[in-house]
Amino acid sequence: MDIVIKSFNRAYYLDRCLKSIELFVKGFNGNILIVDDGTPKKYLQLLQNKYPFVKVIPTKNYLYKSNKLKSKEYTFKKNIPVADWSRVVASVSDYVLILEEDFWFTKEFNLAETEQTCKAENIALLKMFWLQNNVLVQSKNEKTFGNVILYEPDVVTKNSFLYRLVFAKHNKLLRKFFTLLGFYSNEKELNYYSLYSVAGAIFKKDYFLHIWNNASENVNEKEQIIKSLEFFNNSKQQRLAKTKTEPLTTGFISSSFEKVNGDEFSMHDFNVTLNEYWFYNQNAFLEDFEEDISTDFIQSILKEKCKSDRYISEWINWVSNFKESYRKIGCIVK
């Protein structure tokens, strides 16, 4: 089984991701492909020197974004490289582990044994990450095979048209009507993530290519959920599963996207700053895989790099709000 890692401008997290694979993943003899959307070349070269078994595949916008970052021009579009993801996944193994650069393993995980189970049970999606929020893996009729639990998603409807009508139409009157009928609630909407993951999962290649076929370059997860429903309705023998426990976790100190900036804080500038620190202190972000990178440690870096108190305060507020957005939907975030 191959591993594909989606990456953009967070070499300090990507190093953590790759090191965790080296430490914790057993039974792996595939390829590790990094689909990178603009991380400056010197950081990627350092990573390839450190992990010579990885291959970096630049996206079509790589040079444009990389040059923008090097010149500290942070005004580029927020498009996601969907076509590049699909192009790479089309070339890899039938089952593929999809990660993003801010994912890492926290415990041993046997990829070969898990792949055998996926093949034997015809699993299209094996979720390995849900932040202890069972609403995101809401299920019924569970069956256990080793470290894998097969499940049937427990959702209001599996009809893609009805899903679009109830959950994807932004019409206040319709939403109120379906809420009164008991068809709609925030929890019922979240239940549909039992059918879909953006990363942190093992995908059957056909399933991944289907949900991202002709997808928008803007983030719209409802579009992928609709395609997931279509896939499973047309392929009745394909199954869903989750691992018994979560072998993966993710970080909350930054984002690949600009998202909300402050008067002085800029997410792209923040990532550039941490990348540069990491470049000269390569092991600084590899201390504890059970925890995220320490905010106290990040603050010390920002002060060393002469970032203002306002900049640091705005970053701290962003992290707090980012974590709280996950807690509000039931995720456990430290």
Side-chain angles (χ1 to χ4, degrees):
M1 184 190 302
D2 295 323
I3 299 174
V4 172
I5 305 171
K6 298 182 283 188
S7 169
F8 172 61
N9 194 34
R10 291 191 290 176
Y12 59 93
Y13 260 145
L14 182 54
D15 186 17
R16 191 174 178 84
C17 175
L18 292 168
K19 187 64 177 179
S20 78
I21 294 170
E22 190 176 65
L23 289 173
F24 296 118
V25 175
K26 309 301 177 186
F28 173 66
N29 59 3
N31 300 300
I32 299 178
L33 308 174
I34 299 168
V35 185
D36 195 87
D37 202 32
T39 306
K41 187 175 181 179
K42 74 173 188 177
Y43 304 129
L44 294 176
Q45 186 60 60
L46 179 56
L47 285 167
Q48 286 184 290
N49 291 342
K50 194 172 183 179
Y51 307 101
F53 47 84
V54 307
K55 181 179 180 182
V56 176
I57 301 175
T59 65
K60 65 179 181 181
N61 289 320
Y62 174 85
L63 283 176
Y64 164 72
K65 290 185 178 180
S66 179
N67 288 334
K68 284 276 192 177
L69 289 171
K70 284 188 286 188
S71 61
K72 297 190 176 183
E73 297 177 40
Y74 306 136
T75 55
F76 41 81
K77 295 178 181 178
K78 297 180 182 179
N79 59 311
I80 54 176
V82 174
D84 297 285
W85 298 345
S86 295
R87 171 173 55 87
V88 172
V89 169
S91 71
V92 301
S93 52
D94 286 341
Y95 279 96
V96 55
L97 171 58
I98 304 288
L99 301 174
E100 293 179 347
E101 78 267 61
D102 60 348
F103 280 76
W104 64 89
F105 283 88
T106 62
K107 61 184 73 172
E108 283 195 2
F109 187 80
N110 193 301
L111 211 55
E113 290 179 2
T114 307
E115 182 179 19
Q116 288 176 4
T117 304
C118 288
K119 288 179 177 178
E121 300 303 325
N122 206 17
I123 295 169
L125 174 68
L126 174 66
K127 294 174 74 79
M128 301 165 61
F129 164 81
W130 55 93
L131 291 170
Q132 300 179 57
N133 185 355
N134 289 327
V135 171
L136 302 179
V137 283
Q138 190 72 22
S139 59
K140 55 187 179 181
N141 302 328
E142 294 184 352
K143 293 182 181 179
T144 302
F145 295 85
N147 72 330
V148 171
I149 300 173
L150 298 177
Y151 65 81
E152 183 181 342
D154 189 6
V155 293
V156 172
T157 178
K158 295 179 183 178
N159 183 289
S160 59
F161 172 79
L162 290 177
Y163 170 84
R164 190 188 298 273
L165 189 64
V166 176
F167 297 100
K169 293 285 187 182
H170 299 288
N171 183 301
K172 289 182 179 179
L173 287 176
L174 269 179
R175 182 63 53 83
K176 186 175 181 179
F177 174 69
F178 287 125
T179 301
L180 289 171
L181 289 178
F183 292 153
Y184 178 85
S185 69
N186 289 333
E187 182 171 320
K188 286 182 171 69
E189 183 170 358
L190 289 170
N191 291 162
Y192 279 88
Y193 282 88
S194 62
L195 291 139
Y196 164 73
S197 285
V198 66
I202 292 172
F203 291 78
K204 197 169 188 178
K205 180 162 66 176
D206 292 349
Y207 168 72
F208 182 92
L209 294 175
H210 179 85
I211 64 173
W212 290 104
N213 183 41
N214 294 321
S216 166
E217 290 190 343
N218 298 311
V219 177
N220 180 8
E221 293 190 329
K222 287 184 171 61
E223 181 181 336
Q224 276 66 63
I225 291 172
I226 289 167
K227 289 183 177 180
S228 295
L229 287 166
E230 292 171 350
F231 179 87
F232 288 108
N233 286 333
N234 292 330
S235 308
K236 299 293 186 181
Q237 301 305 311
Q238 305 281 353
R239 306 173 84 176
L240 291 154
K242 60 186 177 181
T243 48
K244 271 188 177 179
T245 58
E246 298 176 62
L248 291 168
T249 192
T250 192
F252 287 90
I253 66 159
S254 68
S255 168
S256 289
F257 294 105
E258 191 70 72
K259 294 193 174 180
V260 178
N261 292 320
D263 293 332
E264 297 187 21
F265 173 73
S266 158
M267 185 58 72
H268 289 315
D269 177 76
F270 175 86
N271 287 328
V272 167
T273 301
L274 262 60
N275 281 342
E276 193 64 10
Y277 181 88
W278 165 82
F279 187 76
Y280 295 102
N281 303 272
Q282 292 170 40
N283 295 320
F285 298 91
L286 303 177
E287 289 299 318
D288 184 0
F289 289 96
E290 289 294 329
E291 304 286 341
D292 200 352
I293 302 167
S294 162
T295 53
D296 289 339
F297 176 54
I298 299 300
Q299 286 185 67
S300 70
I301 295 172
L302 296 177
K303 288 176 182 178
E304 180 182 318
K305 298 299 181 181
C306 300
K307 300 301 181 183
S308 69
D309 290 343
R310 181 74 171 270
Y311 182 109
I312 295 171
S313 175
E314 289 173 349
W315 167 69
I316 291 171
N317 287 337
W318 180 88
V319 171
S320 177
N321 291 334
F322 187 38
K323 289 181 175 180
E324 188 59 26
S325 69
Y326 278 82
R327 292 187 183 115
K328 282 181 178 178
I329 64 171
C331 296
I332 305 299
V333 180
K334 295 179 181 180

